[in-house]
Amino acid sequence: MDNGPAFSRKKSWARFKLFIPQSVNKKIRTTLTGLLALYITIPCMAKTEVDTTSTHTHTIEEIEVSARRISKSITSATSTQQMDRQTISALAVQNAAEAIRHFAGTTVKDYGGIGGLKTVSVRGLGATHTAVSYDDVVLGNCQAGQTDLGRFSSGQLSAISLHIGQDDNLLGTARALASGSLVKMSSLHQLPQEKKRHIEAAVRVGSFGYLNSSIHYVRSISKRTLLSLTSDLSTAHGRYPYLQDYGNTQNKEERTNTDVYQFAQECGIRHHIDSTSYIDGKIYYYNAERGLPGAVILYNNNSKERLIDKNFFAQAKYTKQWNHKWQLRSIAKYTYGYNHYTDTNVKYSNGKYSEMFDQEEYYTQATLLYRPKTEWQLSIAQDGYINTLQSDLPHFAYPLRYTSLTALQAQYKNARLTLHGILLNTAIHESVQKGKKLNDICRLSPTFSISVHPFTIPLYLRMMYKNTFRVPTFNELYYQASGNKGLRPERAHEYTMGITWQWQPDGILKNFTLTADGYFNNVTDKIVAFPTTYVWKMANYGRVHITGLDATIGAQLEPNQHIGIDFGVNYTLQQAIDITDPTAPNYRLQLPYTPRHSGSGRILLSTPWLNVGYSTIAASSRHSSSDKSLRYHLKGYMEHTLTLSRIFNIKQTELVLQADAINFTNAQYEIIQYYPMPGRQFRVSLTFKL
């Protein structure tokens, strides 16, 4: 096989081992390093008044001032949904993808199983239009253009949020503004108040051989420096039963080749240089080996596809604030990714197929924020990154991509009005060693949002327009026979209009929130897999109109000082139609895998004796193809989950015991056709906090 002049498997893998040691026989071989984060706490102190005419000192009594804060999801000029660590645990969320399923407007593509690929599409735009950031730095994947959210365990997350349009933070990166929506994940990096160190360890066991262990350790090593470490390990054989329809009969089958082993470790540091500046450093490593169960078709449940996935990054982030007016943030990051896919099958000449990919990214960024007046904020962000992809495939192109993003932002905000404007310039140059390359790109993308607070009550009206485009991925351009080097960027115009309201009465009902957003997305030059005589080819063929409504309701009740109730409901109505060709049979029909109705709900009850959580996720029927015949029909589903937890305090130690019943009604359904999802499963976890 011709590996090409720029790729050597031995050389590339040797370089990778300089950073990360391999695991042998699936035993962890890691060294504890640390993640630094400084958590500054300012204790509340009584105010002392000195009478200069007397030698006595008079102490004024401490006064506790409390006020109810308006949620960011209400005041934001764009749609914002968020979930904290407590809610993540109460909903029995296993990873970031499961958390995203509880947000309105999202569609998670899940190929089934504990280790199956999980990507998110927001408001029908596709996973490649959604950016994913981890601790404010966007995760890059030039090969596939999308991030597997299943690799981020709930044990690694302190919070997760979804921002449709853009985040209101003007100190953010230009890269975060370049996509139609942004998923923000935050790691565990803070120290609880009045503690010099904190340990949180958890063990979770469950159905289908599931075992997860995680540990988070953080300590203050000086007044200015905080060190922490997080490790997370998951394994499972993943063999779960499912019901398979065979015409007039229904057989009970078992999913095979579904085993998974994944390990993640992150270490970092936050050092407070002085009162106006600090630096964050982080090292992250992820290693996974899994079976790919494949599609279940015509009694065939046999798959021998395997995937090894390794990812490493090191980043540093510096923040400086000179005064109230000027603030700077800069980032430097290196990312390395390795994928090895194998398939054993008699259809191959030597009985086995293998392909390997190496990708690297060098990323640097700086944002300068200026506040000329209290109401005004201005910022400029400059991002630059270089992506490379190498493979052992014959005649590979070996692409090298240079990307420059420049974002100018302006925001005006007072008690009644918020205006936010963005102008983003994207410049891309690409080179290849073999074949034709992507044409150079230089484009401007504007965004404008407005939020109006017309009355004294917390009711807001908001509107947004966002123009984005996404560049074809390396796979779409150069992946063997299906790639198309002449692809144009896929363009999207997003229009949103909504209303938000928050009510905070003084009775049992403490808080009530309501949001409703209507939207219209116009996608042109949509990149689709288009069939030709012998193989599928990527082509700019599609034009799509997406119209929808996202609505959320939330409430917090306190019947007494010991009992709390958290209630929430999300609903999405979406019509995503293909308007490419009026003569085509699928003209103005719903796009594949797009349910017209979807939603989620939750009720969380907290008491001194027991905490109870109930959640449900539902979607209406849909089709897996533009052909709307019964053959491609996927029935709707509703999945129910119940959690019970109890907190035990033993001296300075807190123990949390939790039991989860996931899909306890044993609903049989598929998100991707021929990839059945797990039925009823149980999980028990014990968390130790010191």
Side-chain angles (χ1 to χ4, degrees):
M1 180 178 292
D2 179 15
N3 291 329
F7 183 81
S8 170
R9 279 179 283 176
K10 291 184 179 180
K11 182 178 179 181
S12 178
W13 184 239
R15 183 176 69 249
F16 182 67
K17 290 195 292 184
L18 293 176
F19 294 101
I20 309 297
Q22 299 184 61
S23 59
V24 180
N25 297 325
K26 296 185 178 179
K27 294 181 180 178
I28 307 174
R29 298 178 57 192
T30 59
T31 55
L32 297 180
T33 48
L35 159 28
L36 274 168
L38 176 64
Y39 184 75
I40 303 172
T41 57
I42 304 175
C44 297
M45 303 177 60
K47 182 178 178 181
T48 303
E49 181 183 85
V50 179
D51 187 349
T52 56
T53 63
S54 171
T55 58
H56 297 287
T57 301
H58 303 281
T59 301
I60 298 176
E61 254 182 61
E62 290 186 9
I63 300 175
E64 183 178 332
V65 179
S66 62
R68 294 176 187 172
R69 189 176 183 179
I70 300 178
S71 171
K72 183 180 179 181
S73 63
I74 301 298
T75 61
S76 175
T78 57
S79 177
T80 301
Q81 302 171 72
Q82 50 196 345
M83 188 181 296
D84 59 20
R85 183 165 177 78
Q86 183 178 0
T87 305
I88 290 173
S89 177
L91 296 178
V93 165
Q94 184 173 302
N95 51 56
E98 292 186 4
I100 292 294
R101 292 178 70 186
H102 290 273
F103 291 153
T106 62
T107 302
V108 175
K109 284 192 174 181
D110 192 330
Y111 289 80
I114 295 174
L117 176 68
K118 297 169 177 61
T119 61
V120 61
S121 169
V122 179
R123 292 185 175 176
L125 288 180
T128 48
H129 284 272
T130 303
V132 179
S133 72
Y134 194 51
D135 287 340
D136 296 323
V137 183
V138 173
L139 301 171
N141 187 333
C142 61
Q143 180 184 353
Q146 53 193 3
T147 300
D148 181 8
L149 292 170
R151 87 184 204 199
F152 294 95
S153 166
S154 58
Q156 302 170 248
L157 303 177
S158 64
I160 185 168
S161 60
L162 172 65
H163 305 265
I164 301 177
Q166 80 276 337
D167 186 9
D168 285 342
N169 180 20
L170 270 72
L171 203 59
T173 66
R175 196 173 189 178
L177 302 171
S179 297
S181 56
L182 173 67
V183 173
K184 294 182 68 174
M185 299 182 295
S186 300
S187 65
L188 299 167
H189 60 273
Q190 292 188 338
L191 187 67
Q193 291 187 10
E194 301 178 357
K195 281 191 174 184
K196 291 187 177 180
R197 68 175 183 178
H198 176 69
I199 299 175
E200 181 176 331
V203 177
R204 305 170 185 89
V205 295
S207 304
F208 321 130
Y210 175 73
L211 171 64
N212 172 264
S213 62
S214 63
I215 184 169
H216 173 62
Y217 174 73
V218 57
R219 70 168 298 161
S220 176
I221 58 177
S222 73
K223 291 183 178 180
R224 295 185 174 184
T225 309
L226 196 76
L227 178 70
S228 82
L229 166 71
T230 301
S231 297
D232 189 276
L233 171 68
S234 296
T235 63
H237 62 67
R239 296 188 300 271
Y240 56 87
Y242 66 95
L243 296 178
Q244 179 67 32
D245 288 321
Y246 295 107
N248 297 326
T249 63
Q250 195 174 60
N251 293 349
K252 187 175 182 180
E253 307 283 353
E254 184 178 69
R255 206 76 164 107
T256 60
N257 195 39
T258 54
D259 61 294
V260 61
Y261 162 85
Q262 57 183 16
F263 171 69
Q265 178 171 312
E266 56 185 78
C267 325
I269 182 168
R270 170 174 288 186
H271 176 66
H272 203 79
I273 300 171
D274 52 37
S275 60
T276 63
S277 61
Y278 64 89
I279 187 169
D280 282 301
K282 181 185 286 290
I283 296 176
Y284 172 90
Y285 171 58
Y286 172 79
N287 176 21
E289 181 178 350
R290 70 192 75 182
L292 303 178
V296 177
I297 306 175
L298 298 177
Y299 296 90
N300 180 19
N301 190 26
N302 183 32
S303 174
K304 295 183 179 179
E305 296 175 277
R306 309 290 300 177
L307 179 65
I308 296 175
D309 184 16
K310 300 176 187 290
N311 187 270
F312 166 81
F313 70 73
Q315 68 185 40
K317 181 170 59 177
Y318 171 74
T319 304
K320 170 72 174 181
Q321 183 165 345
W322 289 278
N323 48 47
H324 176 70
K325 290 188 175 183
W326 292 95
Q327 194 170 358
L328 171 71
R329 174 181 287 179
S330 60
I331 298 169
K333 180 179 180 179
Y334 168 76
T335 302
Y336 177 86
Y338 169 83
N339 298 94
H340 184 195
Y341 168 83
T342 59
D343 184 20
T344 303
N345 198 301
V346 294
K347 66 182 181 181
Y348 304 117
S349 58
N350 59 355
K352 189 173 183 178
Y353 177 79
S354 172
E355 61 183 31
M356 284 185 269
F357 293 94
D358 272 334
Q359 60 174 307
E360 292 181 286
E361 180 176 279
Y362 303 86
Y363 174 69
T364 183
Q365 189 275 339
T367 303
L368 182 64
L369 174 66
Y370 174 56
R371 301 181 182 91
K373 293 185 178 181
T374 305
E375 298 86 359
W376 279 97
Q377 291 189 81
L378 307 172
S379 74
I380 180 171
Q382 177 61 55
D383 294 29
Y385 46 100
I386 302 172
N387 295 99
T388 67
L389 182 65
Q390 303 179 57
S391 175
D392 64 343
L393 295 175
H395 312 296
F396 193 68
Y398 304 100
L400 173 64
R401 178 177 291 178
Y402 299 88
T403 304
S404 172
L405 299 173
T406 306
L408 299 175
Q409 295 192 74
Q411 185 184 79
Y412 175 82
K413 187 174 184 178
N414 61 24
R416 297 290 186 185
L417 179 67
T418 299
L419 299 174
H420 192 173
I422 303 170
L423 186 61
L424 175 71
N425 181 71
T426 303
I428 297 176
H429 172 73
E430 195 160 299
S431 63
V432 295
Q433 294 188 19
K434 296 181 180 181
K436 182 182 177 181
K437 71 177 184 69
L438 177 75
N439 293 330
D440 289 353
I441 295 172
C442 186
R443 292 194 180 182
L444 288 174
S445 303
T447 299
F448 178 76
S449 61
I450 178 173
S451 175
V452 181
H453 182 199
F455 312 110
T456 56
I457 61 173
L459 185 145
Y460 295 79
L461 305 175
R462 61 190 183 192
M463 292 187 299
M464 183 199 74
Y465 165 74
K466 187 176 181 72
N467 173 254
T468 61
F469 69 95
R470 67 103 173 168
V471 181
T473 67
F474 282 166
N475 277 355
E476 292 168 336
L477 290 166
Y478 308 112
Y479 187 75
Q480 286 192 313
S482 64
N484 181 355
K485 301 178 182 62
L487 287 176
R488 300 182 300 276
E490 185 175 298
R491 297 172 294 166
H493 299 268
E494 302 175 64
Y495 305 86
T496 302
M497 181 178 295
I499 183 171
T500 66
W501 176 51
Q502 183 169 6
W503 181 37
Q504 296 175 321
D506 294 326
I508 293 177
L509 179 62
K510 298 299 181 182
N511 188 51
F512 180 85
T513 60
L514 170 68
T515 70
D517 290 281
Y519 58 88
F520 172 73
N521 298 331
N522 181 16
V523 183
T524 57
D525 280 336
K526 187 171 180 63
I527 300 173
V528 296
F530 188 74
T532 60
T533 306
Y534 298 105
V535 296
W536 288 70
K537 282 281 190 181
M538 307 306 298
N540 291 107
Y541 182 76
R543 187 180 176 196
V544 174
H545 282 175
I546 306 166
T547 308
L549 170 69
D550 291 342
T552 70
I553 296 175
Q556 288 78 44
L557 298 88
E558 292 182 9
N560 58 52
Q561 60 180 344
H562 302 295
I563 298 177
I565 301 174
D566 184 355
F567 168 82
V569 174
N570 298 325
Y571 170 72
T572 296
L573 171 65
Q574 186 176 112
Q575 182 188 58
I577 57 176
D578 188 343
I579 61 168
T580 304
D581 182 5
T583 63
N586 61 322
Y587 181 66
R588 300 194 67 83
L589 295 182
Q590 190 84 342
L591 291 182
Y593 292 115
T594 306
R596 195 171 297 274
H597 306 276
S598 61
S600 67
R602 72 176 188 275
I603 299 177
L604 309 177
L605 172 66
S606 60
T607 73
W609 316 280
L610 189 69
N611 296 326
V612 182
Y614 165 77
S615 64
T616 182
I617 296 174
S620 63
S621 61
R622 58 233 179 274
H623 286 79
S624 63
S625 170
S626 55
D627 182 350
K628 303 306 178 185
S629 64
L630 185 62
R631 175 184 177 185
Y632 300 104
H633 179 264
L634 294 174
K635 63 181 181 180
Y637 66 88
M638 180 174 286
E639 182 182 294
H640 305 270
T641 296
L642 181 67
T643 68
L644 302 174
S645 64
R646 173 71 188 271
I647 300 175
F648 301 90
N649 291 303
I650 305 172
K651 294 184 178 180
Q652 295 182 342
T653 303
E654 180 180 290
L655 294 177
V656 182
L657 180 63
Q658 181 166 316
D660 308 324
I662 303 163
N663 191 9
F664 61 79
T665 60
N666 200 31
Q668 302 290 308
Y669 68 97
E670 298 172 350
I671 295 179
I672 302 297
Q673 191 171 32
Y674 307 125
Y675 289 82
M677 296 293 291
R680 184 185 297 113
Q681 53 183 306
F682 301 96
R683 206 159 52 220
V684 177
S685 63
L686 178 63
T687 304
F688 166 89
K689 299 179 183 180
L690 176 63

